[in-house]
Amino acid sequence: VPDKRLDVLSDMFKSKKIVPAAMRFVDIAGLVKGASKGEGLGNKFLSHIREVDAVAEVVRCFEDGNITHVEGSIDPLRDIDIINTELCLADMETVEKRQERLVKLEQAVMEKVMAGLSDGVPARRLGLTEEEQEFLGELHLLTMKPVLYITNVAEGEVADPSGNEHVQAVKKYAAEENAEVIVVSAKMESEVAELPEEEAKEYLEMAGLEETGLDRLIKAGFKLLGLMTFLTAGEMESRAWTIKLNTKAPQAAGKIHTDFERGFIRAEIVSFDDLVACGSKAAAREKGLVRLEGKDYVMQDGDVVEFRFNV
């Protein structure tokens, strides 16, 4: 996960190495019509997608006669619809199996979801209450997974895709479920990946971009999963640690080592911005910006932390 804060901490603490937060993307081959009945990769596709926390759908939004499309034409909304339909069909099977052994209240939720799935509407778009979502949680429905859409466009349209009707159609569709749309050019991404850092930076500037599509995708994925990072810094390493939003200090400490959580006493915290403004931890401490927090402290993104524990 790209994080410029780590470079700053590394310089400040003379760290020997930098360890950024990481995120795992699983590249699952495209879904074709009829997958739920075994077409294409069929069940293999569905078993792969069951294991992920969120789904990033890459849809083609560029015209190129030399690159064929399995459906014969460019229509991202149709492609999204094919994916939705196949995942809805798979979820219908899951719901049907469960419906056979339910009490009345649960039955009502199942019928509501089943009606939506039959109409090709993913469960996440049904406006379910928190209670209904909680009940459905144990079914691990494919169409309840959070989604972001990646529109793959021609190189000249990445910086300004306003003239691309396909991208605008996807954005309109995504807005209905508050989903984010990332605009990338896979062709440009592959070219940038081959370049040395300085040349890659120049290439992006010439294209009117501040960062690569991959960096934007990683950040959007992080946000979609409700994740944030806290930081640790010292001579050995400057490191970003991944936690869920609203994680309390002892559980954050447990990310580093279970002993830290078990024997948690308190956390010594300074916000990254305060630390940089002061120039050193000692200066931040003098200004009263280094705080001691207890077990109920809710971690904030960019907290630079030292945990105190006793096992």
Side-chain angles (χ1 to χ4, degrees):
V1 179
D3 194 337
K4 289 178 180 145
R5 298 175 300 190
L6 289 172
D7 297 320
V8 176
L9 289 178
S10 177
D11 287 345
M12 192 182 283
F13 288 86
K14 308 282 182 282
S15 306
K16 290 192 176 99
K17 64 174 180 174
I18 287 175
V19 186
M23 190 170 190
R24 185 161 170 251
F25 282 85
V26 183
D27 186 10
I28 301 171
L31 184 60
V32 296
K33 211 181 278 184
S36 53
K37 296 184 181 67
E39 291 291 325
L41 286 177
N43 293 331
K44 195 174 172 191
F45 171 91
L46 297 169
S47 68
H48 282 159
I49 210 166
R50 279 187 206 287
E51 292 164 13
V52 302
D53 297 309
V55 179
E57 289 183 25
V58 184
V59 288
R60 179 169 163 183
C61 292
F62 67 90
E63 305 277 352
D64 187 335
N66 297 319
I67 303 172
T68 57
H69 189 296
V70 69
E71 290 293 325
S73 63
I74 307 304
D75 184 346
L77 293 190
R78 174 206 57 214
D79 297 344
I80 289 170
D81 191 51
I82 287 173
I83 293 176
N84 282 342
T85 302
E86 293 304 324
L87 298 185
C88 283
L89 289 167
D91 279 349
M92 280 171 76
E93 271 183 48
T94 306
V95 175
E96 270 167 358
K97 281 178 196 160
R98 186 62 190 270
Q99 262 182 321
E100 293 157 13
R101 46 193 175 86
L102 290 177
V103 297
K104 267 189 178 170
L105 176 71
E106 295 169 334
Q107 190 72 35
V109 182
M110 289 303 196
E111 281 169 9
K112 179 177 177 180
V113 174
M114 200 59 167
L117 294 172
S118 318
D119 289 338
V121 181
R124 66 179 177 276
R125 289 177 82 105
L126 292 175
L128 300 166
T129 65
E130 247 177 72
E131 195 183 0
E132 289 170 334
Q133 286 179 39
E134 211 169 294
F135 167 67
L136 287 172
E138 63 194 72
L139 289 184
H140 304 291
L141 295 180
L142 300 169
T143 60
M144 277 300 286
K145 291 181 188 288
V147 168
L148 64 88
Y149 299 95
I150 304 160
T151 57
N152 185 12
V153 301
E155 287 176 88
E157 296 178 317
V158 186
D160 180 16
S162 56
N164 185 315
E165 61 185 83
H166 299 310
V167 173
Q168 300 317 311
V170 174
K171 282 187 172 179
K172 188 179 171 192
Y173 176 86
E176 291 166 16
E177 56 183 287
N178 291 321
E180 198 167 339
V181 177
I182 306 291
V183 181
V184 304
S185 161
K187 188 168 184 285
M188 180 190 278
E189 291 296 311
S190 65
E191 286 167 3
V192 170
E194 302 279 310
L195 297 172
E197 197 177 331
E198 276 308 305
E199 285 180 40
K201 207 172 158 194
E202 282 171 30
Y203 186 130
L204 289 170
E205 279 170 11
M206 279 165 61
L209 299 166
E210 284 179 23
E211 54 189 349
T212 65
L214 181 60
D215 284 357
R216 282 180 285 120
L217 170 58
I218 292 167
K219 287 175 182 172
F222 220 63
K223 187 172 140 196
L224 186 67
L225 293 171
L227 301 173
M228 57 172 258
T229 47
F230 71 88
L231 308 160
T232 56
E235 204 179 310
M236 288 302 289
E237 63 178 29
S238 286
R239 185 173 188 143
W241 302 84
T242 306
I243 51 174
K244 286 265 184 198
L245 291 170
N246 302 316
T247 296
K248 290 190 174 174
Q251 287 69 49
K255 274 279 175 186
I256 298 174
H257 198 289
T258 48
D259 285 352
F260 284 28
E261 183 174 354
R262 219 173 50 219
F264 180 88
I265 300 171
R266 54 186 173 267
E268 187 178 276
I269 294 176
V270 57
S271 86
F272 174 79
D273 291 341
D274 286 344
L275 180 61
V276 172
C278 295
S280 73
K281 197 166 176 183
R285 190 177 271 113
E286 273 173 31
K287 290 189 176 173
L289 295 170
V290 178
R291 318 180 305 276
L292 287 176
E293 300 287 1
K295 289 182 177 177
D296 291 329
Y297 176 73
V298 176
M299 300 293 291
Q300 302 298 310
D301 190 76
D303 278 346
V304 182
V305 193
E306 203 173 308
F307 291 109
R308 298 185 184 177
F309 70 103
N310 181 23
V311 176

